[in-house]
Amino acid sequence: MPELYNKEGLKARFDNWEKQLNGEKSSDFHSFRKESFDSYLKVGTPSRKNEEYKYTGLDKVIEKNFTEDDWNRSVEISDQAVKDRIIQDLDAYSIFFINGILNKELSHWDELSKEINLMTVKEAFEANEKDCIENFGKHATPESDPFTAINDSLTNEGIYINIKKGQILSKPVMIYYLNYTEEGGVITHPHNLFVFGENSQGEVIEKFDTIGENHSLSNIVSEIVVNRSAVVKYYKIQSEHNGNVHVGNTQVWQDERSNFTSTTLSFGGMMVRNNLNITLDASHCEANMYGLSLLKDNHHVDHHTTVDHRKPHADSNELYKGVFDDKSTGVFNGKIFVRQDAQKTNAFQSNRNVLLSEDATINTKPQLEIWADDVKCSHGATTGQIDPEQLFYLRSRGMDKQSARALLLYAFAMDIVEHIGNEQVRNYLENLISERLHKNF
Amino acid sequence: MLKIEDLKASIEGKEILKGINLEVKAGEVHAIMGPNGSGKSTLASVLAGRDEYEVTSGSVSYNGEDLLDMDPEERAREGVFLAFQYPVEIPGVSTTNFLKTSINQIREHRGQDPLDAVSFLSRVKEKMKLVEMDQSLLSRALNEGFSGGEKKRNEVFQMAMLEPKLKILDETDSGLDIDALRIVANGVNKLRNEDNATIVVTHYQRLLEYIVPDYVHVLYNGRIVKSGTKDLALELEEKGYDWIKAEAAV
Ligand SMILES: Nc1ncnc2c1ncn2[C@@H]1O[C@H](COP(=O)(O)OP(=O)(O)O)[C@@H](O)[C@H]1O
Ligand SMILES: [Mg+2]
């Protein structure tokens, strides 16, 4: 019996799907998918034997929790479910994916189209959009990661956003991915491309929610091209849901004097893997990577980041923090490559964790590969408990233990949240985290 | 107000307090002096409820209740306040930030309504003046990058804010220059009244010129080996601790 998410299962699915494609089969877009699939077949779905997925056995989790029926789940969703997941006070251009399918009606599609070049990826391929064709799948290549290869092979949905040279986005682009699982599991493979033109500026927020009893699998890819002197802020917010399996690949390419800041906030999931890869392909650019995991129960979140310094005089700065309660597990793997050409690189990395229970675990591994000699690089990782001295101090001021713990953890988390420039997003997260800390741990 | 009887406490199996007896009444100021390592901070910590210390025998009654049976926050809500010898740094948490929660939890315990933002702030302003403290300190992360003197002023400021009944000041004078010492002592004196009591831990007589004690006790090697009036402090200043040690050895 072919299984769901391995070579045999995906081959059967892919072949069967191709038969129904008719005209689209001969499109450039499908050629890309087909090539990607050939590439995937060479490696297959990684198991824990793969060093990169040592702690995160997605293959087993997917096989165990999903069925064939989950591929084509209907996209009905109640208005209330949508309302409950949006960030109320945020003035943004919203884009909605419901069960992996773009919903233009719910989205501010026309409004955003007036401001920038906005299309679905397929529309962009059909229209021969140069920037799209030159970049789509060129950063998140099938070879970069087996799950990216699967996404590249199966993706049928995605948006293409192009912000012109010198343009400043008047509002953030807020993308909601709502997986509605009341009627059964959901499997999705969206793949987006954001191209920020020279000297442009903007914010992109991706928020993931699973609503309903059943499981959802999101294998998502976002490619972000940051051209000369562009300034981009990118936030990824993953809400807690114990049926959520998420594999995200965010692939960023930066040109000269550009500035990119990413903040990833993970509040839980059955198994979450975030790959964030940044290529600094020119001088005088800067990349900042922040991340926060706040986990409990059996949740598992794995952050793998790579920053590839290819040219001299560029800076990268990374801070990931985690708070782990119950039997939750965190993984942090931070790779820094400094190529021989990349003299005068400054690269800093730090990973700090608090374990609240004896059964919680964190696996942290910095991986620095430096071929240039004149560089400043540092990394550090700490794992500890809540400081008993600090706790005692606050209690000796009349504060109960739970409030004191919540306050200390809140301060720990704010170290990440304070880097979020968007006030509404920051307020939203402050409230979410505060509520969560007072409720649980 | 406070009655300590035959209090023994140890840490990691090592006995530090070896039978303390002390009675403090409302309105009084007691000074506890003694050489380094004699157990002064241990006594203060045990009274505040630090749980690393194991109380092996004895009792502490506070306003008729068993103090040792209370959690640290309960003691604080009942009016016990410790100004720490070494106040801890808390990154990301400012004084105003945690005091607001503290005060309102204390008020709730006492059956009072919570302070709103305006009354809280006006109280902050008033108490800041008492220790001549800069407002900017209050919104900075607690004790992070504070000078020794700023840390101590902040402790006394918090004491003023929480209006405790039993105030324990552990070496609040150390690290203060003479001007700061005068300011802090003045602040402490202004908080004195007939209903509250103060225990001043110090190993210098200097502070006691400003905060004049009713009683002076010498703690040595886990025991109160001598008690007297403020003259005892002067005698210690003059003769040092050696004669006490010699006397205790007999
Ligand atoms: N956490 C601790 N672990 C082990 N020993 C301690 C600890 N705290 C204090 N002590 C010991 O207890 C004794 C008394 O210390 P302390 O109460 O700080 O004295 P004082 O405040 O009078 O200088 C000292 O010998 C000190 O080394
Ligand atoms: Mg001491």
Side-chain angles (χ1 to χ4, degrees):
Chain A
M1 187 187 86
E3 288 178 87
L4 186 82
Y5 220 70
N6 63 7
K7 276 194 215 177
E8 294 72 40
L10 289 174
K11 175 102 177 69
R13 163 156 298 278
F14 192 84
D15 290 346
N16 195 28
W17 183 42
E18 256 198 327
K19 281 189 205 125
Q20 300 159 19
L21 278 178
N22 303 324
E24 194 182 325
K25 205 174 155 184
S26 55
S27 67
D28 289 347
F29 187 67
H30 190 66
S31 313
F32 165 76
R33 289 194 295 220
K34 202 167 169 50
E35 282 165 29
S36 302
F37 194 62
D38 290 339
S39 169
Y40 160 73
L41 288 176
K42 288 184 199 136
V43 290
T45 308
S47 70
R48 294 184 63 169
K49 285 191 199 117
N50 179 319
E51 184 63 23
E52 289 297 310
Y53 287 88
K54 189 169 157 185
Y55 299 109
T56 302
L58 283 155
D59 58 337
K60 292 240 169 70
V61 165
I62 293 171
E63 292 300 345
K64 199 170 145 218
N65 293 289
F66 294 88
T67 69
E68 284 295 327
D69 295 339
D70 300 341
W71 287 97
N72 299 305
R73 197 63 65 189
S74 85
V75 293
E76 293 300 311
I77 190 166
S78 74
D79 291 351
Q80 195 56 44
V82 174
K83 267 204 199 100
D84 288 347
R85 266 70 191 184
I86 64 174
I87 300 180
Q88 293 297 342
D89 301 323
L90 180 66
D91 186 18
Y93 291 118
S94 299
I95 304 279
F96 287 89
F97 283 84
I98 310 295
N99 290 357
I101 313 285
L102 173 70
N103 185 321
K104 286 189 182 175
E105 286 70 44
L106 278 179
S107 306
H108 293 127
W109 192 263
D110 297 335
E111 293 92 320
L112 182 56
S113 299
K114 280 187 198 123
E115 187 166 329
I116 57 160
N117 189 3
L118 171 69
M119 289 182 227
T120 68
V121 171
K122 278 195 197 170
E123 285 165 359
F125 265 77
E126 274 156 32
N128 238 325
E129 278 285 322
K130 187 167 154 286
D131 277 343
C132 183
I133 289 161
E134 278 178 6
N135 287 295
F136 189 84
K138 299 295 186 292
H139 307 285
T141 62
E143 293 75 26
S144 63
D145 172 73
F147 288 100
T148 298
I150 297 175
N151 174 289
D152 286 343
S153 311
L154 298 177
T155 187
N156 206 28
E157 294 283 333
I159 56 167
Y160 164 65
I161 281 181
N162 193 325
I163 292 120
K164 281 201 314 277
K165 181 174 171 178
Q167 190 175 8
I168 294 170
L169 260 180
S170 64
K171 298 180 197 179
V173 175
M174 173 80 224
I175 309 172
Y176 293 101
Y177 301 87
L178 305 180
N179 287 338
Y180 196 65
T181 68
E182 291 294 0
E183 286 149 40
V186 169
I187 300 176
T188 76
H189 295 93
H191 187 145
N192 304 316
L193 170 64
F194 308 91
V195 177
F196 284 84
E198 198 177 315
N199 208 20
S200 68
Q201 279 185 32
E203 285 182 319
V204 175
I205 306 152
E206 296 190 293
K207 185 170 183 286
F208 298 84
D209 286 276
T210 299
I211 307 147
E213 292 299 299
N214 294 290
H215 299 152
S216 83
L217 165 62
S218 308
N219 176 349
I220 178 174
V221 174
S222 289
E223 292 176 272
I224 305 174
V225 175
V226 190
N227 283 304
R228 271 177 74 105
S229 301
V231 179
V232 179
K233 295 208 163 30
Y234 168 77
Y235 312 115
K236 182 169 180 177
I237 304 169
Q238 297 167 321
S239 304
E240 100 192 55
H241 187 290
N242 54 16
N244 171 34
V245 180
H246 180 107
V247 197
N249 275 282
T250 302
Q251 202 83 34
V252 183
W253 180 87
Q254 287 187 244
D255 204 350
E256 215 172 272
R257 293 182 200 281
S258 65
N259 188 309
F260 176 80
T261 302
S262 145
T263 310
T264 306
L265 302 120
S266 304
F267 296 101
M270 181 192 289
M271 189 167 277
V272 173
R273 167 65 172 248
N274 292 310
N275 294 327
L276 169 65
N277 301 320
I278 300 181
T279 302
L280 298 176
D281 213 1
S283 293
H284 303 290
C285 48
E286 178 182 319
N288 299 298
M289 293 164 273
Y290 301 105
L292 176 69
S293 304
L294 212 60
L295 308 187
K296 60 183 169 92
D297 300 335
N298 285 304
H299 293 185
H300 176 104
V301 174
D302 175 347
H303 295 290
H304 266 60
T305 67
T306 305
V307 53
D308 186 359
H309 284 264
R310 295 192 175 168
K311 296 283 153 61
H313 290 286
D315 297 344
S316 69
N317 175 38
E318 176 168 27
L319 174 63
Y320 270 68
K321 294 182 121 184
V323 179
F324 307 93
D325 200 5
D326 302 328
K327 293 184 171 165
S328 62
T329 335
V331 180
F332 175 79
N333 179 292
K335 295 186 184 67
I336 299 176
F337 299 131
V338 183
R339 311 277 174 158
Q340 199 164 4
D341 239 12
Q343 301 294 353
K344 306 282 181 194
T345 286
N346 289 312
F348 302 107
Q349 180 190 94
S350 168
N351 176 231
R352 297 186 55 201
N353 303 294
V354 175
L355 299 179
L356 297 179
S357 110
E358 290 193 356
D359 298 322
T361 18
I362 169 77
N363 295 291
T364 173
K365 185 179 173 194
Q367 233 174 303
L368 274 61
E369 293 181 28
I370 299 169
W371 292 282
D373 43 34
D374 186 11
V375 300
K376 281 199 190 110
C377 292
S378 76
H379 67 88
T382 57
T383 298
Q385 280 81 40
I386 289 186
D387 184 343
E389 298 276 323
Q390 295 176 347
L391 198 62
F392 175 64
Y393 188 93
L394 294 174
R395 293 177 76 192
S396 80
R397 296 322 185 218
M399 200 185 291
D400 66 70
K401 199 171 175 179
Q402 183 160 329
S403 306
R405 262 161 71 106
L407 182 62
L408 292 171
L409 293 171
Y410 183 79
F412 182 81
M414 284 310 114
D415 219 8
I416 299 299
V417 175
E418 72 182 14
H419 293 285
I420 292 176
N422 185 298
E423 197 181 331
Q424 286 80 30
V425 175
R426 199 174 57 238
N427 288 343
Y428 169 79
L429 290 165
E430 284 168 358
N431 290 334
L432 186 76
I433 292 169
S434 169
E435 215 172 273
R436 175 74 190 269
L437 290 173
H438 279 96
K439 197 173 60 189
N440 293 309
F441 40 75
Chain B
M1 175 178 283
L2 181 75
K3 192 162 190 201
I4 305 175
E5 284 178 302
D6 191 35
L7 181 67
K8 294 184 183 165
S10 34
I11 188 156
E12 290 162 9
K14 184 176 149 201
E15 187 165 78
I16 311 287
L17 301 183
K18 301 174 179 168
I20 303 273
N21 293 289
L22 181 69
E23 189 171 357
V24 178
K25 297 203 177 75
E28 293 177 349
V29 175
H30 289 245
I32 297 181
M33 302 185 70
N36 271 335
S38 55
K40 303 184 296 295
S41 292
T42 302
L43 176 61
S45 297
V46 168
L47 294 178
R50 190 190 287 265
D51 61 9
E52 286 108 274
Y53 296 97
E54 195 199 343
V55 174
T56 51
S57 80
S59 65
V60 181
S61 120
Y62 171 70
N63 291 331
E65 290 189 55
D66 181 0
L67 186 73
L68 300 176
D69 199 34
M70 300 180 195
D71 283 335
E73 57 268 38
E74 243 182 296
R75 301 183 194 200
R77 292 168 189 183
E78 290 290 334
V80 176
F81 184 94
L82 169 62
F84 286 82
Q85 180 175 8
Y86 304 110
V88 68
E89 290 181 11
I90 310 188
V93 176
S94 71
T95 308
T96 34
N97 185 334
F98 79 80
L99 266 188
K100 184 111 201 279
T101 312
S102 286
I103 285 195
N104 284 334
Q105 290 196 358
I106 291 173
R107 290 177 69 89
E108 194 185 336
H109 179 82
R110 295 178 185 166
Q112 296 165 310
D113 287 337
L115 278 188
D116 60 33
V118 178
S119 349
F120 176 76
L121 213 68
S122 72
R123 192 192 292 198
V124 166
K125 292 241 157 73
E126 179 197 330
K127 306 300 181 191
M128 256 166 35
K129 279 193 205 116
L130 193 75
V131 284
E132 299 183 22
M133 198 166 68
D134 208 53
Q135 184 157 20
S136 67
L137 271 190
L138 298 178
S139 46
R140 273 169 50 188
L142 181 72
N143 293 321
E144 246 187 357
F146 285 26
S147 71
E150 286 169 338
K151 288 181 186 171
K152 297 300 168 79
R153 280 187 208 210
N154 187 282
E155 293 292 294
V156 178
F157 164 76
Q158 290 177 43
M159 192 171 97
M161 287 292 289
L162 300 183
E163 297 175 339
K165 296 199 193 90
L166 176 65
K167 297 164 283 181
I168 307 164
L169 295 132
D170 191 0
E171 311 262 2
T172 302
D173 51 334
S174 62
L176 295 184
D177 62 32
I178 194 71
D179 291 332
L181 181 75
R182 210 176 285 137
I183 292 161
V184 165
N186 193 23
V188 172
N189 285 333
K190 282 195 183 140
L191 297 172
R192 281 173 67 172
N193 64 41
E194 283 309 303
D195 298 326
N196 64 37
T198 314
I199 298 176
V200 184
V201 173
T202 180
H203 61 266
Y204 298 114
Q205 187 269 341
R206 199 178 62 158
L207 178 67
L208 305 181
E209 286 173 18
Y210 300 97
I211 304 173
V212 181
D214 301 302
Y215 301 96
V216 174
H217 312 277
V218 181
L219 185 62
Y220 175 64
N221 202 10
R223 286 193 183 87
I224 291 180
V225 293
K226 208 166 185 67
S227 295
T229 59
K230 63 179 193 308
D231 297 336
L232 177 59
L234 289 170
E235 199 175 349
L236 287 168
E237 178 81 354
E238 205 174 300
K239 298 204 248 168
Y241 284 111
D242 285 350
W243 64 281
I244 295 275
K245 292 181 188 173
E247 235 173 62
V250 176

